[in-house]
Amino acid sequence: MKNIYLNIYKSNLVNLKKAKNKLKNNGIIGIPTETVYGLAGNAYSSKSIKKIFKLKKRPHFNPLIIHYKNLNSLEKDVALNSNFKKLYDSFCPGPITFILKKKKKSKISRAATAGKNTVAVRIPKHKVAKNLLNIINFPLAAPSANVSSRLSPTSAFDVADEFKNKLDFIINGGRCKIGIESTIIDLTKKPTILRLGSITVANIQKVLKKKIKILKHHRKIKAPGQLRLHYSPGIPVEMNKKYVKKNQALIGFGKKFKKTKNYFNLSKNSNLKEAANNLYKTMRKIKKNNFKSIAIVKIPNKGIGSAINDRLKKASNK
Ligand code: AMP
Ligand code: MG
C-alpha cells in the first residue's frame, strides 16, 4: 500500500513557498490552525473554491470561512462595526469567526459565500497559518479539512487519512491546541452565536456587556433533511451513558477510569479544555479500532463543555 503520509510536509520556509505556489495556481492544501486543520484555497479564485467544495463533498449552499492575516486585509472585504471592534480587541487573532456584511468591491468568490451578501471571517493565531498568510496576497477560504458531515481533523495525519491521494500537500503544524472548531458569531444584526466554541458565550457577553442570543438550529442555510448529521465519527454515538453494549467503546470523563480495551478517557482531571482537545482524536481512534459504536458519559454543560455537547448532539443526530 502506498504511504499516504508522504503528502505531509514540515512547516519550514521552503515548504511554505511551495504551498504559496500551489495556492497561486488554484491548488488546495491542508493547513494547521489552532482550532482544527483547514482545507485551504485562494478565496478570490472561484476555481479554487469549486475544488474545495468537490473535495469535501460539501453542499454548495454551505458557505466557507475566510482566513486573513490581519485587520487591514480583512477590511478590504467586509464592513466592520462596533461589536466587531470590541471582540477583535479581546480575542483576535484567535478561535473566533465573525459573520459580517460583504463590501461591494470585495473580490471573494461568490461560491465561497454561497451567494450570500455576508462573509464568515477569521484571523487565526497558529504560527504556521500566520506565516503562510503573510507570504500570500489573498485570503484563504479554509473549511475544516474533512469530508462533509465527518469529524474535523486535529493533526496532519488525520487530514491525510481523510483525503488519501486526493490531496497532495499538507503542512504539518503539529496537533491543534484547541481541537474543536471556532466559535461563530453573527454580527450583521443583534449579535447571535451560530456555533459554540472555546471562546464561550460568557466570554463574549463579558466583552459586549449584554446577553447574547444563541441560535439553536442553524437552519437558514440548510436544505430540508440535509446536514442533520455532523461531526460524525462514522459510527453511531450515544450520549449520557454509563455502560457499554457489545462491540461498543465507552468514552469517560473525570477520575473514575477503568483499564479495559474499550474504555477511553477525555480527561482524568475533569478538565473540559483537555476533554475538548481529546474529543475528535479519541473518536477517530475508536473508529480505527473497529468498534461498532460509541457511548459517552455525561459531559458537564459549562464553559467549553457546552461546545463539546453541541458537537456530540450533532454526531448522535439529536
Ligand atoms: P467549517 O468551514 O466547516 O468550519 O464551517 C463553517 C461554518 O460557518 C458553517 O456552519 C457555515 O454554515 C458557517 N458560515 C459560513 N459563512 C456563513 C455566513 N455568511 N452566514 C452564516 N453562516 C456562515
Ligand atoms: Mg466543518
Side-chain angles (χ1 to χ4, degrees):
M1 202 179 78
K2 194 176 164 244
N3 180 1
I4 59 166
Y5 300 128
L6 290 176
N7 303 340
I8 297 178
Y9 290 79
K10 278 190 190 151
S11 61
N12 54 33
L13 191 59
V14 172
N15 288 337
L16 285 182
K17 283 189 179 154
K18 278 187 192 161
K20 172 185 178 174
N21 273 331
K22 287 206 172 274
L23 293 166
K24 270 170 69 179
N25 291 309
N26 300 314
I28 303 304
I29 64 171
I31 63 161
T33 83
E34 67 276 20
T35 55
V36 299
Y37 271 70
L39 195 60
N42 179 351
Y44 293 156
S45 146
S46 21
K47 250 193 187 164
S48 305
I49 300 301
K50 277 185 194 140
K51 284 186 193 165
I52 294 179
F53 275 91
K54 194 168 171 211
L55 260 172
K56 270 186 72 80
K57 301 191 182 112
R58 180 154 169 135
H60 61 86
F61 53 80
N62 194 5
L64 310 178
I65 297 177
I66 315 298
H67 295 70
Y68 292 84
K69 62 179 148 215
N70 56 28
L71 193 57
N72 269 346
S73 55
L74 186 144
E75 227 175 340
K76 289 186 183 140
D77 289 324
V78 288
L80 309 184
N81 58 38
S82 61
N83 284 325
F84 169 81
K85 283 176 189 148
K86 288 179 202 157
L87 295 170
Y88 170 85
D89 284 342
S90 302
F91 303 120
C92 292
I96 184 162
T97 297
F98 307 98
I99 310 293
L100 291 167
K101 290 222 169 85
K102 186 161 106 175
K103 281 189 175 165
K104 280 225 167 72
K105 59 177 186 191
S106 159
K107 289 191 284 181
I108 296 177
S109 146
R110 269 179 65 79
T113 59
K116 291 162 83 72
N117 57 6
T118 57
V119 194
V121 296
R122 176 175 159 216
I123 302 176
K125 193 177 186 173
H126 196 291
K127 221 171 114 193
V128 176
K130 281 197 99 67
N131 288 345
L132 178 61
L133 283 163
N134 275 329
I135 59 167
I136 56 179
N137 57 3
F138 45 82
L140 290 175
S144 51
N146 53 277
V147 174
S148 211
S149 91
R150 300 290 189 205
L151 291 180
S152 296
T154 55
S155 78
F157 300 96
D158 294 347
V159 182
D161 284 342
E162 197 71 24
F163 295 106
K164 308 273 183 328
N165 60 2
K166 287 192 187 132
L167 188 64
D168 65 0
F169 202 92
I170 303 163
I171 307 175
N172 193 349
R175 282 248 308 140
C176 299
K177 264 202 179 135
I178 295 172
I180 58 167
E181 305 78 1
S182 59
T183 306
I184 304 182
I185 183 161
D186 188 346
L187 298 176
T188 60
K189 47 182 181 193
K190 221 172 150 202
T192 306
I193 295 198
L194 305 185
R195 179 168 74 189
L196 299 169
S198 64
I199 292 179
T200 64
V201 181
N203 296 151
I204 290 172
Q205 286 183 165
K206 204 168 164 198
V207 172
L208 296 185
K209 298 195 177 72
K210 56 186 165 204
K211 211 161 160 45
I212 304 297
K213 213 170 113 188
I214 306 168
L215 198 71
K216 283 274 162 6
H217 301 285
H218 196 170
R219 290 226 182 278
K220 257 196 197 154
I221 52 163
K222 288 181 188 174
Q226 286 189 282
L227 295 192
R228 256 203 334 263
L229 191 66
H230 206 162
Y231 312 112
S232 165
I235 50 177
V237 176
E238 296 171 24
M239 294 174 74
N240 305 324
K241 296 287 172 196
K242 283 188 183 147
Y243 307 103
V244 278
K245 296 191 285 208
K246 203 174 161 214
N247 297 324
Q248 190 171 53
L250 181 68
I251 300 183
F253 173 79
K255 263 204 191 83
K256 270 191 268 165
F257 64 94
K258 313 159 197 166
K259 277 217 162 93
T260 55
K261 266 198 284 189
N262 63 347
Y263 190 77
F264 301 79
N265 200 312
L266 292 183
S267 168
K268 289 172 188 167
N269 305 316
S270 303
N271 179 326
L272 285 168
K273 277 194 180 154
E274 184 184 27
N277 191 262
N278 281 327
L279 182 69
Y280 294 156
K281 182 176 118 181
T282 306
M283 294 210 278
R284 276 181 188 275
K285 194 165 159 191
I286 290 172
K287 174 77 179 9
K288 267 194 177 170
N289 288 355
N290 289 321
F291 287 101
K292 295 287 176 270
S293 62
I294 300 175
I296 179 158
V297 299
K298 198 173 167 110
I299 305 292
N301 205 34
K302 57 179 186 197
I304 196 172
S306 311
I308 297 178
N309 283 322
D310 166 65
R311 306 305 191 268
L312 289 172
K313 268 185 211 152
K314 286 174 183 145
S316 62
N317 210 349
K318 286 282 175 295

mmCIF file of all heavy atoms in Angstrom, residues 236-239 241-251 258 262-263 291-296:
data_model
loop_
_atom_site.group_PDB
_atom_site.id
_atom_site.type_symbol
_atom_site.label_atom_id
_atom_site.label_comp_id
_atom_site.label_asym_id
_atom_site.label_seq_id
_atom_site.Cartn_x
_atom_site.Cartn_y
_atom_site.Cartn_z
ATOM 1 N N PRO A 236 -22.351 5.067 15.105
ATOM 2 C CA PRO A 236 -23.317 5.735 15.991
ATOM 3 C C PRO A 236 -22.687 6.212 17.303
ATOM 4 O O PRO A 236 -21.775 5.574 17.830
ATOM 5 C CB PRO A 236 -24.359 4.648 16.260
ATOM 6 C CG PRO A 236 -24.223 3.688 15.127
ATOM 7 C CD PRO A 236 -22.772 3.706 14.748
ATOM 8 N N VAL A 237 -23.192 7.344 17.787
ATOM 9 C CA VAL A 237 -22.726 7.916 19.065
ATOM 10 C C VAL A 237 -23.933 8.044 19.994
ATOM 11 O O VAL A 237 -24.990 8.532 19.585
ATOM 12 C CB VAL A 237 -22.104 9.320 18.838
ATOM 13 C CG1 VAL A 237 -21.717 9.965 20.168
ATOM 14 C CG2 VAL A 237 -20.884 9.235 17.931
ATOM 15 N N GLU A 238 -23.809 7.567 21.234
ATOM 16 C CA GLU A 238 -24.901 7.695 22.218
ATOM 17 C C GLU A 238 -24.401 8.502 23.404
ATOM 18 O O GLU A 238 -23.370 8.178 23.989
ATOM 19 C CB GLU A 238 -25.351 6.302 22.684
ATOM 20 C CG GLU A 238 -25.943 5.460 21.567
ATOM 21 C CD GLU A 238 -26.186 4.016 22.007
ATOM 22 O OE1 GLU A 238 -26.345 3.752 23.216
ATOM 23 O OE2 GLU A 238 -26.197 3.154 21.118
ATOM 24 N N MET A 239 -25.152 9.548 23.757
ATOM 25 C CA MET A 239 -24.723 10.445 24.843
ATOM 26 C C MET A 239 -25.271 10.000 26.198
ATOM 27 O O MET A 239 -26.206 9.219 26.271
ATOM 28 C CB MET A 239 -25.236 11.859 24.569
ATOM 29 C CG MET A 239 -24.623 12.515 23.357
ATOM 30 S SD MET A 239 -25.416 14.107 23.025
ATOM 31 C CE MET A 239 -24.718 15.128 24.333
ATOM 32 N N LYS A 241 -24.288 8.115 28.728
ATOM 33 C CA LYS A 241 -24.310 6.679 29.038
ATOM 34 C C LYS A 241 -23.323 6.357 30.163
ATOM 35 O O LYS A 241 -22.357 7.088 30.376
ATOM 36 C CB LYS A 241 -23.920 5.859 27.793
ATOM 37 C CG LYS A 241 -24.887 5.997 26.643
ATOM 38 C CD LYS A 241 -26.163 5.252 26.929
ATOM 39 C CE LYS A 241 -27.198 5.553 25.861
ATOM 40 N NZ LYS A 241 -28.532 5.182 26.226
ATOM 41 N N LYS A 242 -23.598 5.239 30.837
ATOM 42 C CA LYS A 242 -22.668 4.781 31.874
ATOM 43 C C LYS A 242 -22.068 3.425 31.531
ATOM 44 O O LYS A 242 -21.020 3.060 32.010
ATOM 45 C CB LYS A 242 -23.413 4.652 33.203
ATOM 46 C CG LYS A 242 -23.662 5.984 33.881
ATOM 47 C CD LYS A 242 -24.214 5.761 35.263
ATOM 48 C CE LYS A 242 -24.533 7.082 35.930
ATOM 49 N NZ LYS A 242 -25.680 6.986 36.807
ATOM 50 N N TYR A 243 -22.799 2.666 30.731
ATOM 51 C CA TYR A 243 -22.378 1.297 30.428
ATOM 52 C C TYR A 243 -22.283 1.105 28.925
ATOM 53 O O TYR A 243 -22.883 1.854 28.154
ATOM 54 C CB TYR A 243 -23.393 0.299 31.006
ATOM 55 C CG TYR A 243 -23.648 0.543 32.468
ATOM 56 C CD1 TYR A 243 -24.821 1.175 32.887
ATOM 57 C CD2 TYR A 243 -22.708 0.166 33.421
ATOM 58 C CE1 TYR A 243 -25.045 1.426 34.227
ATOM 59 C CE2 TYR A 243 -22.924 0.411 34.765
ATOM 60 C CZ TYR A 243 -24.103 1.040 35.172
ATOM 61 O OH TYR A 243 -24.313 1.293 36.485
ATOM 62 N N VAL A 244 -21.547 0.054 28.530
ATOM 63 C CA VAL A 244 -21.398 -0.215 27.096
ATOM 64 C C VAL A 244 -22.151 -1.462 26.664
ATOM 65 O O VAL A 244 -22.404 -2.367 27.451
ATOM 66 C CB VAL A 244 -19.924 -0.434 26.682
ATOM 67 C CG1 VAL A 244 -19.223 0.857 26.472
ATOM 68 C CG2 VAL A 244 -19.201 -1.317 27.682
ATOM 69 N N LYS A 245 -22.480 -1.461 25.373
ATOM 70 C CA LYS A 245 -23.079 -2.645 24.767
ATOM 71 C C LYS A 245 -21.957 -3.425 24.084
ATOM 72 O O LYS A 245 -20.804 -2.979 24.069
ATOM 73 C CB LYS A 245 -24.102 -2.212 23.713
ATOM 74 C CG LYS A 245 -25.276 -1.439 24.319
ATOM 75 C CD LYS A 245 -26.398 -1.259 23.330
ATOM 76 C CE LYS A 245 -26.091 -0.218 22.285
ATOM 77 N NZ LYS A 245 -27.252 0.472 21.725
ATOM 78 N N LYS A 246 -22.311 -4.543 23.476
ATOM 79 C CA LYS A 246 -21.320 -5.360 22.770
ATOM 80 C C LYS A 246 -20.700 -4.557 21.606
ATOM 81 O O LYS A 246 -21.418 -3.815 20.927
ATOM 82 C CB LYS A 246 -22.031 -6.610 22.224
ATOM 83 C CG LYS A 246 -21.097 -7.747 21.987
ATOM 84 C CD LYS A 246 -21.846 -9.010 21.600
ATOM 85 C CE LYS A 246 -20.854 -9.914 20.941
ATOM 86 N NZ LYS A 246 -21.452 -10.709 19.900
ATOM 87 N N ASN A 247 -19.419 -4.706 21.429
ATOM 88 C CA ASN A 247 -18.673 -4.026 20.353
ATOM 89 C C ASN A 247 -18.711 -2.496 20.436
ATOM 90 O O ASN A 247 -18.481 -1.806 19.453
ATOM 91 C CB ASN A 247 -19.178 -4.448 18.971
ATOM 92 C CG ASN A 247 -18.975 -5.917 18.729
ATOM 93 O OD1 ASN A 247 -17.972 -6.474 19.176
ATOM 94 N ND2 ASN A 247 -19.935 -6.545 18.070
ATOM 95 N N GLN A 248 -19.058 -1.993 21.617
ATOM 96 C CA GLN A 248 -19.143 -0.543 21.778
ATOM 97 C C GLN A 248 -17.969 -0.062 22.646
ATOM 98 O O GLN A 248 -17.522 -0.786 23.533
ATOM 99 C CB GLN A 248 -20.465 -0.205 22.473
ATOM 100 C CG GLN A 248 -20.789 1.275 22.489
ATOM 101 C CD GLN A 248 -22.202 1.536 22.991
ATOM 102 O OE1 GLN A 248 -22.584 1.069 24.058
ATOM 103 N NE2 GLN A 248 -22.967 2.303 22.226
ATOM 104 N N ALA A 249 -17.484 1.161 22.361
ATOM 105 C CA ALA A 249 -16.454 1.753 23.215
ATOM 106 C C ALA A 249 -17.114 2.795 24.114
ATOM 107 O O ALA A 249 -18.079 3.442 23.695
ATOM 108 C CB ALA A 249 -15.394 2.416 22.352
ATOM 109 N N LEU A 250 -16.580 2.960 25.317
ATOM 110 C CA LEU A 250 -17.128 3.968 26.231
ATOM 111 C C LEU A 250 -16.108 5.097 26.387
ATOM 112 O O LEU A 250 -14.929 4.850 26.648
ATOM 113 C CB LEU A 250 -17.428 3.335 27.594
ATOM 114 C CG LEU A 250 -18.035 4.284 28.637
ATOM 115 C CD1 LEU A 250 -19.450 4.704 28.248
ATOM 116 C CD2 LEU A 250 -18.069 3.635 30.020
ATOM 117 N N ILE A 251 -16.581 6.330 26.218
ATOM 118 C CA ILE A 251 -15.701 7.480 26.465
ATOM 119 C C ILE A 251 -16.072 8.059 27.824
ATOM 120 O O ILE A 251 -17.225 8.412 28.064
ATOM 121 C CB ILE A 251 -15.846 8.559 25.363
ATOM 122 C CG1 ILE A 251 -15.475 7.987 23.994
ATOM 123 C CG2 ILE A 251 -14.985 9.763 25.698
ATOM 124 C CD1 ILE A 251 -15.517 9.007 22.863
ATOM 125 N N LYS A 258 -11.413 3.008 34.044
ATOM 126 C CA LYS A 258 -11.126 1.581 34.079
ATOM 127 C C LYS A 258 -10.022 1.287 33.083
ATOM 128 O O LYS A 258 -9.881 2.006 32.093
ATOM 129 C CB LYS A 258 -12.374 0.795 33.646
ATOM 130 C CG LYS A 258 -13.631 1.260 34.310
ATOM 131 C CD LYS A 258 -14.814 0.818 33.463
ATOM 132 C CE LYS A 258 -16.047 1.606 33.850
ATOM 133 N NZ LYS A 258 -17.118 1.473 32.890
ATOM 134 N N ASN A 262 -11.881 -1.258 25.867
ATOM 135 C CA ASN A 262 -12.953 -0.473 25.256
ATOM 136 C C ASN A 262 -13.253 0.811 26.037
ATOM 137 O O ASN A 262 -14.297 1.416 25.872
ATOM 138 C CB ASN A 262 -14.223 -1.317 25.115
ATOM 139 C CG ASN A 262 -14.762 -1.764 26.455
ATOM 140 O OD1 ASN A 262 -14.067 -1.643 27.465
ATOM 141 N ND2 ASN A 262 -15.973 -2.268 26.466
ATOM 142 N N TYR A 263 -12.316 1.223 26.913
ATOM 143 C CA TYR A 263 -12.558 2.437 27.695
ATOM 144 C C TYR A 263 -11.532 3.517 27.364
ATOM 145 O O TYR A 263 -10.337 3.291 27.336
ATOM 146 C CB TYR A 263 -12.507 2.110 29.192
ATOM 147 C CG TYR A 263 -12.977 3.263 30.036
ATOM 148 C CD1 TYR A 263 -14.331 3.541 30.168
ATOM 149 C CD2 TYR A 263 -12.060 4.100 30.658
ATOM 150 C CE1 TYR A 263 -14.761 4.628 30.909
ATOM 151 C CE2 TYR A 263 -12.484 5.187 31.408
ATOM 152 C CZ TYR A 263 -13.838 5.442 31.527
ATOM 153 O OH TYR A 263 -14.257 6.512 32.251
ATOM 154 N N PHE A 291 -14.453 -0.538 16.618
ATOM 155 C CA PHE A 291 -15.664 -0.626 17.455
ATOM 156 C C PHE A 291 -16.855 -0.252 16.582
ATOM 157 O O PHE A 291 -16.725 0.493 15.607
ATOM 158 C CB PHE A 291 -15.551 0.322 18.651
ATOM 159 C CG PHE A 291 -14.584 -0.156 19.696
ATOM 160 C CD1 PHE A 291 -13.297 0.370 19.774
ATOM 161 C CD2 PHE A 291 -14.953 -1.150 20.596
ATOM 162 C CE1 PHE A 291 -12.396 -0.089 20.726
ATOM 163 C CE2 PHE A 291 -14.058 -1.600 21.558
ATOM 164 C CZ PHE A 291 -12.779 -1.075 21.623
ATOM 165 N N LYS A 292 -18.030 -0.772 16.944
ATOM 166 C CA LYS A 292 -19.202 -0.565 16.087
ATOM 167 C C LYS A 292 -19.996 0.686 16.488
ATOM 168 O O LYS A 292 -20.799 1.205 15.712
ATOM 169 C CB LYS A 292 -20.128 -1.790 16.130
ATOM 170 C CG LYS A 292 -19.481 -3.047 15.544
ATOM 171 C CD LYS A 292 -19.382 -2.955 14.019
ATOM 172 C CE LYS A 292 -18.662 -4.124 13.406
ATOM 173 N NZ LYS A 292 -17.203 -3.919 13.273
ATOM 174 N N SER A 293 -19.808 1.148 17.737
ATOM 175 C CA SER A 293 -20.488 2.374 18.154
ATOM 176 C C SER A 293 -19.779 2.948 19.385
ATOM 177 O O SER A 293 -18.895 2.303 19.958
ATOM 178 C CB SER A 293 -21.959 2.099 18.470
ATOM 179 O OG SER A 293 -22.063 1.179 19.536
ATOM 180 N N ILE A 294 -20.181 4.174 19.748
ATOM 181 C CA ILE A 294 -19.550 4.879 20.875
ATOM 182 C C ILE A 294 -20.620 5.283 21.887
ATOM 183 O O ILE A 294 -21.650 5.863 21.508
ATOM 184 C CB ILE A 294 -18.826 6.162 20.393
ATOM 185 C CG1 ILE A 294 -17.731 5.810 19.375
ATOM 186 C CG2 ILE A 294 -18.255 6.946 21.568
ATOM 187 C CD1 ILE A 294 -17.041 7.022 18.760
ATOM 188 N N ALA A 295 -20.366 4.974 23.159
ATOM 189 C CA ALA A 295 -21.198 5.520 24.237
ATOM 190 C C ALA A 295 -20.327 6.534 24.957
ATOM 191 O O ALA A 295 -19.121 6.321 25.104
ATOM 192 C CB ALA A 295 -21.610 4.403 25.188
ATOM 193 N N ILE A 296 -20.910 7.637 25.373
ATOM 194 C CA ILE A 296 -20.104 8.643 26.082
ATOM 195 C C ILE A 296 -20.843 9.081 27.349
ATOM 196 O O ILE A 296 -22.072 9.207 27.342
ATOM 197 C CB ILE A 296 -19.734 9.835 25.147
ATOM 198 C CG1 ILE A 296 -18.906 10.894 25.895
ATOM 199 C CG2 ILE A 296 -20.929 10.470 24.490
ATOM 200 C CD1 ILE A 296 -18.072 11.789 24.984
#
